[in-house]
Amino acid sequence: MKISALVLLMPWCAMASTSCPPYVKHDPGGDYTNAQDRTGLTVVEQFHFNQGVEKLVKGMTGSLGNDISYTLEHFPNHHRALSAMARLGLRDKSVQPVGARYTINCYFERAIAYAPADATARSVFGSYLLATGQQDAALEQLREAGRLAPGQATIQYNLGLMYMKKKDYAQALAYAHKAYALGFPLPGLKNQLKKAGKWQEPPPPPVAENAPDLPSGE
């Protein structure tokens, strides 16, 4: 799900399609996070989304964009396919990779409209927006992802990194404490805060007061 942070701005936009119709449920297809809808996932992935497609090595039926697009036509919030489409666009410096039916932004918009409570789709979108230099839009998506999934350490960590970029050290520190309390393993955010002279250890948890002894009833 990680997308490389590249500063890419937009000379490629003029070539992109402006059409972005809403997702219409297919069979198989639907919400990637829904167990019942996912019963048809194997059929789609077997022919259009193997490891070679996900790693952007080679398409299964044509171009990479075509196979990833097909996957997203059936499961619009397919997290790994959204990440693959975003990485393909960044790699090829295109907002609409060869073979893709819609722009990358459109695929994310369709995913969020269909499954607005899917925090992971929003988090991946935030990473893509950040990689294309759209910090405010990225922060909006990451904040909503954090609201939807306060227990996901990676989202809290990414929010901390986002606030570091904005030099809002108080917020960065707060999200760092949340991420590490949830078990996030990488020290990068902590190290950045230390380098900026803004790291503070989190306060110790409050000590629970001893409950008063209850009468034995005798």
Side-chain angles (χ1 to χ4, degrees), residues 2 45 57 62 101 185 194-195:
K2 182 179 179 181
E45 292 187 340
V57 176
R101 188 170 184 180
K194 282 184 173 181
K195 187 176 180 179

Side-chain angles (χ1 to χ4, degrees), residues 126-204:
S127 296
Y128 171 71
L129 291 167
L130 180 58
T132 56
Q134 302 174 74
Q135 286 195 15
D136 290 342
L139 180 58
E140 180 181 347
Q141 291 299 330
L142 289 171
R143 287 179 65 180
E144 182 62 13
R147 185 189 70 79
L148 290 167
Q152 283 196 25
T154 299
I155 293 175
Q156 305 303 317
Y157 183 84
N158 287 339
L159 272 163
L161 291 176
M162 187 75 246
Y163 279 110
M164 277 299 298
K165 285 183 176 291
K166 297 176 77 68
K167 300 188 185 302
D168 187 337
Y169 299 117
Q171 288 279 32
L173 181 64
Y175 281 105
H177 287 166
K178 289 180 183 179
Y180 293 128
L182 291 166
F184 192 82
L186 301 180
L189 178 55
K190 181 177 181 178
N191 291 342
Q192 288 186 38
L193 284 160
K194 282 184 173 181
K195 187 176 180 179
K198 301 297 181 179
W199 173 255
Q200 298 176 22
E201 293 294 333

